[in-house]
């Protein structure tokens, strides 16, 4: 069912969430573990993407530029298409993405209730989920959410 939605770019305004602090533990392609607790005091943008998703690949350079411009933000890219860590790292490298990428699968995406890709989930500096954006996001959209 998830793949059927992938060919469609979902465009929606950020869905605001009044959630309690969320917890996750994700290991990137370099073997580093990422948790909200480890990034306490910084905004965390978790971007769920797939190597075959054109809108996902198109937004990654914008997210890279955003990551490079803000010391108070951590961008994490969760690839959900069950590719090997080496293949996921290769995709990120081709796009000049230096933020941490995680080689995941659809089961991992379900824990974040993703209905399509890309999906970006923003956590505030205390680890509380504050928004979910379905569809591609721009650097400016995220900057506006951080204000």
């Amino acid at each position: 069912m998830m793949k059927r939605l992938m060919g469609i770019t979902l465009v929606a305004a950020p869905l605001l969430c009044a959630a309690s602090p969320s917890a996750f533990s994700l290991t990137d392609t370099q073997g580093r573990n990422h948790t909200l607790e480890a990034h306490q005091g910084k905004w965390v943008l978790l971007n769920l993407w797939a190597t075959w998703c054109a809108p996902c690949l198109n937004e990654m350079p914008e997210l890279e530029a955003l990551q490079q411009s803000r010391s108070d933000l951590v961008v994490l890219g969760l690839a959900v298409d069950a590719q090997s860590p080496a293949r996921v790292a290769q995709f990120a490298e081709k796009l000049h993405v230096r933020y941490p990428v995680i080689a995941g699968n659809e089961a991992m995406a379900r824990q974040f209730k993703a209905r399509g890709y890309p999906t970006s989930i923003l956590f505030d500096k205390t680890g509380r989920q504050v928004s979910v954006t379905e569809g591609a996001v721009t650097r400016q959209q995220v900057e506006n959410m951080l204000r």
Side-chain angles (χ1 to χ4, degrees), residues 35-109:
T35 64
L36 287 172
E37 183 177 43
H39 296 300
Q40 186 103 29
K42 293 188 177 199
W43 292 90
V44 175
L45 181 67
L46 178 63
N47 178 255
L48 284 70
W49 64 285
T51 57
W52 44 260
C53 169
C56 300
L57 302 179
N58 288 338
E59 78 178 348
M60 290 173 78
E62 290 240 358
L63 297 179
E64 174 62 28
L66 178 66
Q67 165 78 41
Q68 294 302 317
S69 72
R70 295 197 62 125
S71 61
D72 65 338
L73 173 72
V74 174
V75 176
L76 301 173
L78 173 57
V80 299
D81 51 353
Q83 296 286 334
S84 72
R87 185 147 166 81
V88 170
Q90 179 184 41
F91 265 86
E93 188 176 313
K94 268 191 211 176
L95 294 168
H96 306 287
V97 167
R98 292 179 282 168
Y99 59 79
V101 292
I102 296 99
N105 54 43
E106 286 189 23
M108 291 173 80

